[in-house]
Amino acid sequence: LFRSQQCTALMQVAADSTPARMLLADILLTRSEFDAAVYHFEQMLSKQPTHYAAIAKLLQLLRRAGRLSEASKVLKEAERSSPRATLDPGFRFCQGMHARYQNNPRGALRHLNTARRDGEWGEPALTAMIEIYLNPENETNWDDLELDKRQELPEPLRAAEKLLHELPRSPRQQVLEAYTLMARKTKEQLEKAIASLLELLNVERDYLPALVCLSQAYLMLKQSPKARNHLKRVAKMQFRSEEH
């Protein structure tokens, strides 16, 4: 509460302060006050329509608030305000994420691919591309999963593994690496992924993506009690937009 009051006071002094609005919006986001956070991002973008970092967060917010239909006008306004918008990697990243949120993996990959070698947007673009290749249909049902079934390595998984080598080593990269192991759907690779995740969590104890990934690995091995224990930890954790 103190941080929110402090930032609101700052906004009264510097209403045009983009960093202050970003901070306030982030605080509101951690409190799940999505509509209020959306308002502050919209205020920022009314003055800076091509602030792509703000657009990227706003798209995520609109999705969580069930207002994704409003995203198109934000992108159109950015495009209208700058003749070079469609060439900017930040804009293409935002287009890619919009397509992804609309369950259009082909369109998302096309846009994200144009941003993947950029110094600022390359890493998040690569991360999103790998996630799409690993699960293009957003499947989360492992009830009928058959482990160790002999099959050719799917082309999307090959693409994900190739892109993974372009990402610098980081906790997020390690989690994606675990997902690529899990995607092979063998007991040996699942256990290897679990060992890697447990090692990561020894260092980053509350790293939410690793906890979620580990829970999924245990579910794939039909070890529901272990998965449940980790998901209980996840349920108690505070929302952080950068980890979603």
Side-chain angles (χ1 to χ4, degrees):
L1 180 60
F2 174 73
R3 284 186 69 198
S4 181
Q5 290 173 338
Q6 191 177 45
C7 200
T8 301
L10 177 59
M11 287 300 304
Q12 292 172 348
V13 176
D16 294 327
S17 170
T18 297
R21 280 198 181 275
M22 287 285 279
L23 177 58
L24 181 55
D26 278 340
I27 292 170
L28 292 167
L29 183 54
T30 63
R31 291 162 52 182
S32 298
E33 295 183 25
F34 301 126
D35 289 336
V38 166
Y39 169 79
H40 285 287
F41 278 111
E42 288 176 338
Q43 290 298 303
M44 268 188 285
L45 291 170
S46 68
K47 297 178 174 63
Q48 293 178 265
T50 57
H51 192 308
Y52 299 121
I55 293 176
K57 280 205 171 187
L58 178 57
L59 293 178
Q60 183 190 49
L61 267 171
L62 290 172
R63 180 194 187 200
R64 292 181 65 85
R67 295 166 53 182
L68 192 58
S69 59
E70 300 173 31
S72 293
K73 67 180 181 182
V74 176
L75 292 169
K76 286 178 182 176
E77 189 57 39
E79 191 173 354
R80 192 181 301 119
S81 68
S82 170
R84 295 187 56 80
T86 55
L87 302 175
D88 193 293
F91 182 75
R92 297 304 295 272
F93 174 81
C94 292
Q95 283 184 306
M97 295 308 289
H98 184 219
R100 183 185 183 186
Y101 296 154
Q102 290 183 311
N103 295 317
N104 176 10
R106 286 176 179 266
L109 289 168
R110 187 176 67 253
H111 290 300
L112 292 167
N113 190 52
T114 65
R116 82 177 226 248
R117 299 194 187 283
D118 181 70
E120 179 181 358
W121 296 98
E123 190 169 334
L126 278 168
T127 298
M129 290 177 72
I130 293 167
E131 290 172 346
I132 293 169
Y133 276 126
L134 287 173
N135 191 12
E137 304 300 328
N138 287 317
E139 294 177 354
T140 56
N141 181 15
W142 299 290
D143 291 341
D144 301 321
L145 179 65
E146 291 183 51
L147 295 181
D148 298 312
K149 183 179 179 181
R150 291 184 65 85
Q151 59 182 355
E152 189 174 340
L153 199 64
E155 191 57 40
L157 179 54
R158 291 180 191 273
E161 291 180 339
K162 184 178 179 181
L163 290 173
L164 192 62
H165 293 301
E166 297 182 27
L167 271 181
R169 192 69 170 167
S170 68
R172 189 66 180 178
Q173 190 267 357
Q174 289 177 259
V175 170
L176 290 172
E177 187 175 62
Y179 275 120
T180 63
L181 292 171
M182 291 159 58
R184 289 175 175 265
K185 298 177 182 176
T186 69
K187 185 180 179 185
E188 179 185 358
Q189 298 299 329
L190 280 165
E191 290 175 344
K192 186 176 178 181
I194 287 171
S196 174
L197 291 164
L198 289 173
E199 185 178 333
L200 171 60
L201 286 165
N202 278 334
V203 181
E204 301 280 349
R205 188 178 182 278
D206 294 322
Y207 188 52
L208 188 144
L211 289 167
V212 172
C213 184
L214 183 60
S215 300
Q216 292 180 9
Y218 280 132
L219 286 171
M220 291 173 75
L221 285 174
K222 311 296 185 187
Q223 297 180 13
S224 299
K226 288 184 178 180
R228 194 177 303 116
N229 287 338
H230 291 291
L231 288 173
K232 284 179 181 177
R233 285 179 61 190
V234 170
K236 295 176 182 177
M237 294 172 70
Q238 187 179 52
F239 175 83
R240 287 182 287 189
S241 62
E242 66 274 10
E243 292 186 351
H244 292 258

